[in-house]
Amino acid sequence: MSDAGPGDVGEPSSDAQGTTRAILNLDRLVHEPARLAILTVLAEAEEVEFRFLESVTGLTKGNISSHMAKLEAAGYVTVTKRFKGRVPSTSYSITDAGRAALRAYRAALAQLMRG
Amino acid sequence: MTQARPAFSGDVGRLAELTRRYARFSVSAGGLGSALGGALVLVAYFVGALVPDLSTGGRLGLAATPLVWIVVKELLRSRYYQRFGRVEEARPVFDRRLHLGLTLFTALVSAGIVVTVLARQWPLQWEAGTVGYLAYVAAMPLLVWQFMRTPLEFIAGVFLVAQAALVLAGGSYRLWEQPQAPIGGLALLVVGVSQHLEFLRLERELKSLRGSQG
């Protein structure tokens, strides 16, 4: 039989509280699936053109632009705009801060998964 | 009305792997461009060595091989291998330093050759052959820096440029004089074909990824 009294029922254990705290502490900017995908792609290259992000993530132009604006505001990515002949081309690079945020997010997630 | 696509729902690990593989084709993997370079090295090496009395057309043809290679491989790179959008490869520090080292070494050798030729032949007779020779030798470091980014490309490219310079000046390398060239050329040919096959697999995977994401 359990020793726990009625008052103990429903109170989270310290483990559960820790897990909740860890989840709440995840960087929400990185945690959003589309932004996580974008940062993952950028982390594998020096510079990535908009077209490629569109191709591999399946996100719409508007979606990518709005996520990029947030990532740029946080200092996680930099944007380069240039012309290829007469066609404008936009490319993105991950910054050191972006790389560190992605690394920290992965580490936090891995720790959570380990329990 | 078009239906809005859902948020990304794929596997980020796979996304990372595909990006890394695709990015290689911006710098270190030349595919068919490399295969062409390897084939041109073999042609330039054996024609230069085994056909002693080349016609003017033949000489000009051999002299044009490095330029043809560079133009075709760069076009293939930008129009074919990066057609889903340019993704510049993040190269390891060692590769960057090696490339810089090879460029500096080439610059040193080129400068030495140009100075020696100018000193020996001064006052210079402005013959087309000599000017062509000096132009190719002087341009070599720039070509290495800009277009010969891997060791195999370096071996093949430097040979093509050197052979082109020599051919313009009226000579050519003898058989076995530059043994690294046919070996490097053959290796580049094989590596290029294998890279191209890898690109075809990658292309199928990228297309299926696009398909699966609507």
Side-chain angles (χ1 to χ4, degrees):
Chain A
M1 246 177 87
S2 168
D3 290 341
D8 296 331
V9 175
E11 274 186 21
S13 66
S14 62
D15 275 1
Q17 282 178 338
T19 305
T20 308
R21 208 169 22 251
I23 291 171
L24 291 175
N25 282 341
L26 283 174
D27 185 340
R28 290 178 191 204
L29 205 61
V30 182
H31 188 57
E32 201 286 326
R35 286 194 290 270
L36 177 61
I38 289 170
L39 285 175
T40 300
V41 169
L42 296 184
E44 297 299 328
E46 200 70 39
E47 194 177 81
V48 178
E49 209 174 28
F50 190 97
R51 257 181 337 127
F52 183 77
L53 282 171
E54 211 184 337
S55 286
V56 293
T57 60
L59 298 167
T60 60
K61 285 187 172 72
N63 237 329
I64 295 177
S65 297
S66 96
H67 287 305
M68 279 304 183
K70 287 174 187 157
L71 291 171
E72 194 188 2
Y76 288 179
V77 301
T78 54
V79 187
T80 309
K81 290 177 190 279
R82 52 172 83 92
F83 276 88
K84 283 183 173 175
R86 288 183 178 181
V87 185
S89 151
T90 306
S91 296
Y92 300 95
S93 302
I94 192 167
T95 61
D96 288 343
R99 220 173 268 280
L102 185 62
R103 220 175 9 245
Y105 172 80
R106 282 175 180 161
L109 205 61
Q111 201 170 3
L112 259 173
M113 299 300 279
R114 278 196 301 270
Chain B
M1 208 173 104
T2 56
Q3 198 177 357
R5 275 182 267 173
F8 176 79
S9 56
D11 171 356
V12 286
R14 181 152 182 254
L15 206 53
E17 186 232 333
L18 290 175
T19 304
R20 206 164 37 241
R21 282 163 61 198
Y22 180 80
R24 287 189 62 234
F25 288 89
S26 69
V27 182
S28 64
L32 290 179
S34 295
L36 174 72
L40 285 175
V41 165
L42 294 174
V43 170
Y45 182 81
F46 288 109
V47 170
L50 300 175
V51 186
D53 300 317
L54 267 178
S55 64
T56 307
R59 286 194 173 276
L60 287 176
L62 273 193
T65 52
L67 302 179
V68 169
W69 176 48
I70 286 168
V71 169
V72 173
K73 99 183 168 85
E74 292 307 314
L75 278 175
L76 277 170
R77 193 185 299 282
S78 61
R79 302 280 162 88
Y80 182 73
Y81 290 116
Q82 292 280 285
R83 67 171 180 274
F84 295 102
R86 182 171 163 72
V87 178
E88 196 186 324
E89 183 180 16
R91 298 177 73 201
V93 176
F94 175 80
D95 288 10
R96 287 170 193 261
R97 287 188 181 157
L98 181 66
H99 185 207
L100 179 65
L102 290 173
T103 305
L104 291 175
F105 172 73
T106 310
L108 209 66
V109 174
S110 291
I113 293 173
V114 170
V115 168
T116 307
V117 169
L118 287 177
R120 277 191 188 165
Q121 299 195 359
W122 197 261
L124 196 67
Q125 308 290 312
W126 291 102
E127 292 165 5
T130 313
V131 172
Y133 175 85
L134 286 176
Y136 259 136
V137 173
M140 206 185 286
L142 188 70
L143 296 176
V144 168
W145 177 247
Q146 202 66 37
F147 304 112
M148 299 162 200
R149 303 167 184 109
T150 66
L152 275 181
E153 280 188 345
F154 174 79
I155 292 170
V158 166
F159 172 78
L160 283 178
V161 175
Q163 177 76 303
L166 263 186
V167 159
L168 283 176
S172 72
Y173 287 116
R174 283 176 299 223
L175 203 59
W176 310 124
E177 207 175 351
Q178 296 283 331
Q180 83 288 351
I183 297 167
L186 191 62
L188 195 60
L189 179 62
V190 172
V191 166
V193 170
S194 113
Q195 285 170 346
H196 180 67
L197 295 176
E198 149 67 4
F199 183 79
L200 294 179
R201 280 192 296 274
L202 177 62
E203 187 184 27
R204 278 196 295 274
E205 288 177 55
L206 284 170
K207 280 181 178 165
S208 80
L209 185 73
R210 288 166 91 176
S212 70
Q213 286 169 354

